[in-house]
Amino acid sequence: MIDLSAYRTLFADRELRRIMLGSVLPRLPIGMNALGLTLLVQAATGSFAQAGWVSGAYMAALALQAPVVGRFIDQRGPRGVMGPLAAGHTLALLGVVWAAHQGLRLPWLLGSAFVAGLFFPPVSTVIRAMYRKADMTASQRQSAFAVESVVVESCFILGPLLVSLALLAGSAAYGVLLAAGFIAVGVPLFARTGAIERWGQVERTAERHWLGPLQVMGVRRSLGLTLLVATGFGLNEIAVPAFATALGDTRLVGLFYAALSIPSAIAGLLYGTRRWGPPLNRQILLAVLWLAAGSVAMALAPSAPWFALACLFTGLAFGPLITALSLQLGALAPSSTVTEAFTWSTTLLMLGLGLGMWAGGALVQQWGWSASLLAAAGAMALAALWAPWVPAVSGD
């Protein structure tokens, strides 16, 4: 029987409800910016190659800044950094739109996009660190991370939809401007929810190692597991539009992504309703094996209905896996460096997604959509071999 008492306890905290709701608006650009910049630059230059460079510059800067900002927050707290980052990010996005509208050359577009990535405010990181540092029971923390995984995944679903709607309104620039507005309005609202206060005090240590959380073997192994899993995610996701294109009906892309995402959100929420007995590395092992089997089922699907069913099956593991990885890293990272640890997780997640999509695109080009899915199954099999090497911990 499903026990929802952990969620009832969690949401009984009015301030915590306000923090969760207040975090959605400034995080929608997570799923908007890369697509919005791609469409904007392609429309302005007529070149998908240049659009790819600009999006790549944004993602590279986002990956580079995450550990630096995380360490800064661990050492000084989040209070003084969120506002300046939001302002810089907003102005840089406006700069990209202005440069595209003026027909400026590629270096201007690359520079503005790179600055936008450098200044992206780490709302998700602050929240995850807050959950790790807060005085919560183990079941409350698991439920909180489950809700967090659903919120992030929802941003990846709603973000592209909002960009598409902005494009239908008349211009690709509207999507980028909308994302800039969400940051400009959302981050100050989020700062007033109480999340920054709940993050707690800076924990001073006698001597801080230059590697920060990376000095801990368990943290390094957990992050390596995140990289393998994210690569498998990228290989899986790039195959979805490739399959729809092979069918000659790209309208099915949204349906297939929904078939992956909706079960993921439901399973993620159900996962957070109870404490699970096995240690997290064993739970992760089972989840990645499930994803490997699901990717094979998708690769062998003979038609669109069977592919959609395989997506439904595969999606059931995404949400619990993301939650379990967050719980594992939070349990392994020292409390004084937990924000930086989560920013490293973000960096490796993006790196893995990018590697998976790049490799998957090459595989699709050479051997077809099923090759990318079989490679995704291979990446998940490697993750299954890696999982037992991560120290066995619970979500306490």
Side-chain angles (χ1 to χ4, degrees):
M1 185 174 179
I2 298 173
D3 182 8
L4 299 178
S5 60
Y7 287 121
R8 284 195 293 268
T9 302
L10 191 69
F11 289 113
D13 187 328
R14 294 180 60 186
E15 184 180 63
L16 195 55
R17 289 204 309 268
R18 188 166 64 247
I19 290 170
M20 290 178 180
L21 291 173
S23 74
V24 174
L25 189 63
R27 287 198 279 182
L28 283 172
I30 292 173
M32 298 176 67
N33 282 343
L35 178 60
L37 290 171
T38 299
L39 296 175
L40 171 68
V41 175
Q42 194 279 328
T45 65
S47 169
F48 274 107
Q50 291 193 26
W53 276 104
V54 172
S55 270
Y58 169 78
M59 295 296 289
L62 198 60
L64 287 172
Q65 66 98 278
V68 177
V69 171
R71 178 167 295 194
F72 182 92
I73 291 174
D74 275 329
Q75 293 177 334
R76 304 192 183 184
R79 183 177 301 278
V81 72
M82 299 298 286
L85 287 177
H89 182 77
T90 301
L91 291 173
L93 286 184
L94 294 177
V96 178
V97 174
W98 177 81
H101 183 71
Q102 295 296 318
L104 299 183
R105 299 177 68 85
L106 181 61
W108 289 95
L109 297 167
L110 286 172
S112 299
F114 191 82
V115 172
L118 286 179
F119 279 85
F120 190 83
V123 174
S124 290
T125 297
V126 169
I127 286 184
R128 286 192 287 171
M130 179 194 76
Y131 290 153
R132 168 62 175 82
K133 292 157 70 76
D135 183 19
M136 287 180 165
T137 66
S139 61
Q140 287 174 331
R141 185 173 289 114
Q142 178 164 315
S143 299
F145 275 114
V147 172
E148 172 67 9
S149 70
V150 172
V151 169
V152 171
E153 187 159 331
S154 298
C155 289
F156 279 110
I157 297 170
L158 293 174
L161 175 61
L162 290 170
V163 172
S164 300
L165 292 175
L167 186 61
L168 289 175
S171 173
Y174 295 159
V176 179
L177 293 173
L178 186 62
F182 286 161
I183 291 292
V185 175
V187 170
L189 291 177
F190 172 73
R192 296 189 184 100
T193 61
I196 291 177
E197 288 75 15
R198 281 210 176 188
W199 182 88
Q201 300 297 318
V202 173
E203 298 178 37
R204 305 294 181 187
T205 55
E207 183 179 353
R208 184 185 176 96
H209 196 278
W210 68 275
L211 285 174
L214 298 182
Q215 69 175 313
V216 181
M217 176 269 294
V219 170
R220 296 196 300 271
R221 292 186 179 181
S222 179
L223 291 173
L225 183 58
T226 296
L227 179 62
L228 285 173
V229 167
T231 303
F233 285 172
L235 286 161
N236 186 285
E237 289 186 14
I238 197 68
V240 172
F243 177 74
T245 301
L247 289 178
D249 191 355
T250 55
R251 294 173 299 178
L252 292 172
V253 172
L255 172 65
F256 294 147
Y257 275 134
L260 281 168
S261 300
I262 293 173
S264 172
I266 294 172
L269 288 173
L270 292 177
Y271 175 80
T273 62
R274 55 169 292 184
R275 294 290 311 287
W276 302 90
L280 287 166
N281 60 353
R282 197 175 305 168
Q283 295 178 39
I284 291 169
L285 170 63
L286 294 174
V288 294
L289 288 175
W290 185 293
L291 285 171
S295 295
V296 172
M298 291 168 67
L300 299 178
S303 63
W306 282 106
F307 191 84
L309 285 173
C311 287
L312 288 169
F313 172 82
T314 306
L316 288 170
F318 278 114
L321 176 56
I322 293 170
T323 303
L325 285 169
S326 293
L327 287 167
Q328 181 186 69
L329 183 59
L332 290 169
S335 182
S336 61
T337 61
V338 69
T339 310
E340 184 181 345
F342 280 126
T343 53
W344 274 111
S345 175
T346 300
T347 293
L348 292 175
L349 180 64
M350 289 185 298
L351 178 61
L353 283 170
L355 286 173
M357 290 187 173
W358 170 78
L363 290 170
V364 168
Q365 189 71 26
Q366 187 68 29
W367 289 291
W369 56 270
S370 60
S372 185
L373 287 166
L374 293 175
M380 292 303 175
L382 288 175
L385 293 174
W386 185 282
W389 288 90
V390 182
V393 293
S394 67
D396 295 350

